[in-house]
Amino acid sequence: MKNLLGLRFLSKEEIEQILQTAVSFWEVLQRPIKVVPSLRGKVVVNLFFEPSTRTRISFEQAAKALSASVINFSVSYSSAVKGESLYDTVKTLEALGADFVVIRHPSPGASLFVAQRVSVPVINAGEGATEHPTQALLDMFALKMKFGKLEGLKVLIVGDIVNSRVARSHFWGLPKMGVKVRVCAPSTFLPLHFERAFPDVEIFHRIDKAVEDVDVVMGLRIQKERASGELIPSIEEYVNFFQIAPEYVKDKVLMHPGPVNRGVELPPEIVYGKGSIILNQVKAGVAVRMAVLYLLGGAK
Ligand code: CP
């Protein structure tokens, strides 16, 4: 692996290697001094063209725990505002000594575009609606912590599939790990030709049927910033038919990549309730991103 652009491009063995490496870093993070020298002297640039709390901060924590230094690029204070191209921005960062580029961008293909034009490893930190590979990897890590394995689990993903890069990464990744995947959404929240693209994923339009015999229910945020509200008659109707009500998760594990629209895809009382591993997902993010940086660090 030179880059991490998507789970589409990784084998089962490569995913297992990342998850196994993350176990070692998880142990490091339980120590009083949560730092190892693996990337001392290296520079990680967080190049975020969209807002982020979890991903940006956990990449920063991961880089610092590996003794790398971190530059947080803020688009609103950068020359991108003056019209500088993405290409010129990344070539400038490379000339300034970046050893890794971690990129979040609204355009599908932005991370591949960058990876083809710089010599340092590029990590997709969420791009358009294509993939968010480190989120899917940390979800797998959190599932392994909970169940001890991935093989044989049944995961239901509910919500705004069409705009979800997290869901896309799971559709590529989870079946490789032996996980059965279902989705439940209004038809307008499914991409065109979904069945052809992901024939192994089962489709449901009624949540009471979809939750039957699954181990895990994962909610997705309705992405209002991507005009998802126009794909459904109203938020109230979505809530009536597709909200993950407490009875649907009473004996199941609840996940959500965050941020949560409280009261829309999840009622507030279940966000951190019994069965929720949402904060475990957040914690897993640091160890998994350490593993990704560490494994890619040998590639330069
Ligand atoms: N899950 C996720 O990508 O969250 P942030 O947008 O806060 O990084």
Side-chain angles (χ1 to χ4, degrees):
M1 275 198 317
K2 175 185 174 288
N3 306 297
L4 178 62
L5 304 182
L7 296 197
R8 178 181 191 155
F9 308 110
L10 296 192
S11 65
K12 176 180 183 181
E13 291 69 32
E14 287 169 320
I15 293 172
E16 276 171 350
Q17 186 190 16
I18 295 169
L19 298 178
Q20 199 50 46
T21 307
V23 172
S24 310
F25 289 125
W26 178 267
E27 285 160 14
V28 168
L29 294 169
Q30 311 315 308
R31 297 179 192 161
I33 298 173
K34 304 169 182 25
V35 184
V36 288
S38 313
L39 294 184
R40 183 182 292 151
K42 302 283 185 187
V43 177
V44 176
V45 174
N46 277 332
L47 181 58
F48 278 55
F49 288 86
E50 285 186 346
S52 168
T53 299
R54 294 150 197 79
T55 312
R56 193 192 62 70
I57 290 174
S58 62
F59 264 114
E60 181 167 352
Q61 276 182 291
K64 287 178 173 169
L66 292 166
S67 304
S69 44
V70 182
I71 296 172
N72 286 310
F73 171 94
S74 170
V75 66
S76 54
Y77 290 101
S78 76
S79 288
V81 174
K82 296 183 268 184
E84 185 163 65
S85 68
L86 176 58
Y87 175 72
D88 287 333
T89 299
V90 293
K91 292 308 282 184
T92 300
L93 294 170
E94 193 178 25
L96 286 169
D99 293 296
F100 298 84
V101 174
V102 178
I103 179 167
R104 170 168 289 194
H105 202 281
S107 300
S111 62
L112 176 62
F113 174 86
V114 172
Q116 289 168 333
R117 286 162 181 82
V118 296
S119 63
V120 299
V122 174
I123 301 167
N124 173 2
E127 163 195 282
T130 54
E131 284 220 40
H132 191 350
T134 57
Q135 178 69 44
L137 288 165
L138 72 87
D139 289 348
M140 289 181 190
F141 187 88
L143 283 172
K144 276 193 89 165
M145 297 246 300
K146 180 72 188 173
F147 292 98
K149 60 170 190 163
L150 292 173
E151 182 83 39
L153 293 179
K154 288 186 189 165
V155 174
L156 168 65
I157 303 177
V158 184
D160 185 359
I161 309 286
V162 69
N163 284 309
S164 176
R165 48 203 179 203
V166 177
R168 291 288 187 318
S169 282
H170 278 312
F171 300 150
W172 290 114
L174 286 174
K176 286 178 188 166
M177 309 311 288
V179 176
K180 296 258 182 270
V181 183
R182 290 179 180 175
V183 294
C184 181
S187 301
T188 48
F189 272 180
L190 291 177
L192 284 177
H193 312 302
F194 181 75
E195 302 87 334
R196 222 183 301 158
F198 299 106
D200 297 334
V201 177
E202 279 187 283
I203 301 171
F204 290 78
H205 300 294
R206 283 190 55 161
I207 193 165
D208 56 338
K209 301 289 177 207
V211 293
E212 280 174 10
D213 64 72
V214 299
D215 304 291
V216 177
V217 181
M218 182 186 298
L220 295 177
R221 185 171 65 89
I222 294 192
Q223 300 197 25
K224 293 174 192 157
E225 74 277 21
R226 297 187 218 276
S228 293
E230 292 170 17
L231 298 173
I232 47 176
S234 68
I235 294 290
E236 292 71 26
E237 196 145 80
Y238 179 85
V239 168
N240 280 340
F241 286 93
F242 292 96
Q243 187 181 72
I244 301 169
E247 66 263 30
Y248 297 140
V249 286
K250 67 175 186 298
D251 54 353
K252 305 191 193 301
V253 165
L254 174 69
M255 301 179 82
H256 193 298
V260 175
N261 290 314
R262 284 171 168 262
V264 181
E265 60 266 10
L266 305 182
E269 66 270 26
I270 71 166
V271 174
Y272 303 132
K274 184 174 160 292
S276 168
I277 60 166
I278 290 172
L279 294 178
N280 297 2
Q281 292 173 259
V282 175
K283 288 180 194 160
V286 182
V288 166
R289 288 169 175 133
M290 286 175 79
V292 169
L293 289 167
Y294 174 80
L295 290 169
L296 294 179
K300 192 181 172 192

